[in-house]
Amino acid sequence: MMVDRDAVALDDPVGESLRGHHAHLARRHGRAVTYLPGVATFSAISADSGSAEWADLARLLGRGEFADMFSCPATPPPEWEPVFVLEGRQMIWPGGSLPGRSHAEPETGVVELSAESVPEMLDLVARTRPGPFWPRTHELGTYLGVRENGRLVAMVGERLRPPGWTEISAVCTAPEARGRGHAARLVSALLARVVSRNERPFLHVAEANTGAIALYERLGFQTRKPVTFRGFRTP
């Protein structure tokens, strides 16, 4: 695993994002915080939280609602129903030259996606299932895509934004367009944009997704630590 002293903010990427760059997309109750509906389902409380913070989160979300705790290690009270557990890893960009391109190289075939692109973004996500994506998820940051014959066939975007970092997410390619290097080109293009504003890219990937891990390693990402993603149902 990679040790990086500048990566402390990545131990609580959801909370750091909601208290900082994404504060305008947050809703709060007490010490609990979550994203606005339609943006993301991620919630955050402190890693050493007690029952009071879990109660704050329950009041914030409402009864029987989904609490996506991302990689928060805190254990909820027993009346919180487990929904899922997924093993994964957090990977970070160590710096250095960008993969196969210079900062000034044009983004050939890459287009920036806007709010008008949301319907086709949602369609692509439904067909490829890269992870959570909702009607307002595009508000988290920049999203780039590739179109073939006018149809969106590949996408990548920015998600969590803890101080000094930007998460690369929603990496997906339609089945009929795979094997053409779209994912690598899109991730490289977004890498360049993040680095150009003096931030460092990072990402999360499911441990079972060995193909994606291999791609990210080829692009220069290194594993920082294993993480466990968890979700619960509020009592």
Side-chain angles (χ1 to χ4, degrees):
M1 303 304 156
M2 183 179 184
V3 177
D4 192 314
R5 295 178 180 176
D6 296 326
V8 176
L10 301 187
D11 290 336
D12 179 21
V14 174
E16 292 284 356
S17 298
L18 286 166
R19 291 187 290 268
H21 191 85
H22 287 160
H24 65 293
L25 298 173
R27 54 190 178 121
R28 299 173 177 80
H29 184 86
R31 294 180 63 186
V33 61
T34 189
Y35 280 95
L36 293 173
V39 176
T41 56
F42 306 136
S43 299
I45 55 177
S46 60
D48 57 350
S49 59
S51 58
E53 277 190 65
W54 286 102
D56 285 342
L57 183 56
R59 284 190 288 270
L60 177 61
L61 297 177
R63 291 185 178 181
E65 294 297 325
F66 177 54
D68 190 333
M69 301 310 298
F70 204 72
S71 58
C72 177
T75 301
E79 62 268 24
W80 287 63
E81 176 190 353
V83 175
F84 78 90
V85 176
L86 178 66
E87 298 302 326
R89 65 174 70 184
Q90 184 183 82
M91 304 181 75
I92 64 175
W93 174 252
S97 59
L98 293 168
R101 57 177 287 140
S102 68
H103 287 276
E105 183 181 344
E107 297 172 348
T108 305
V110 174
V111 298
E112 187 165 331
L113 303 174
S114 66
E116 295 179 353
S117 306
V118 168
E120 55 185 335
M121 295 165 77
L122 290 170
D123 175 72
L124 180 60
V125 166
R127 291 190 292 134
T128 58
R129 300 187 181 279
F133 193 92
W134 309 103
R136 295 182 60 190
T137 298
H138 68 283
E139 296 179 29
L140 294 174
T142 298
Y143 279 79
L144 305 177
V146 171
R147 287 192 171 92
E148 292 182 352
N149 300 318
R151 187 180 187 189
L152 184 67
V153 297
M155 181 176 73
V156 67
E158 299 174 349
R159 191 166 67 178
L160 300 178
R161 294 285 300 276
W165 297 83
T166 295
E167 184 190 25
I168 292 178
S169 183
V171 182
C172 56
T173 302
E176 68 273 14
R178 290 172 183 165
R180 302 173 191 170
H182 292 327
R185 184 160 76 257
L186 284 168
V187 173
S188 296
L190 196 54
L191 271 172
R193 293 191 179 209
V194 173
V195 171
S196 70
R197 60 177 185 246
N198 296 316
E199 294 184 349
R200 290 179 61 186
F202 74 110
L203 55 85
H204 294 89
V205 59
E207 197 63 33
N209 195 348
T210 55
I213 292 172
L215 168 65
Y216 300 142
E217 289 177 338
R218 287 197 302 272
L219 293 175
F221 283 89
Q222 298 178 11
T223 297
R224 177 176 178 253
K225 66 174 185 177
V227 295
T228 300
F229 306 107
R230 299 183 303 153
F232 302 91
R233 190 76 59 190
T234 62

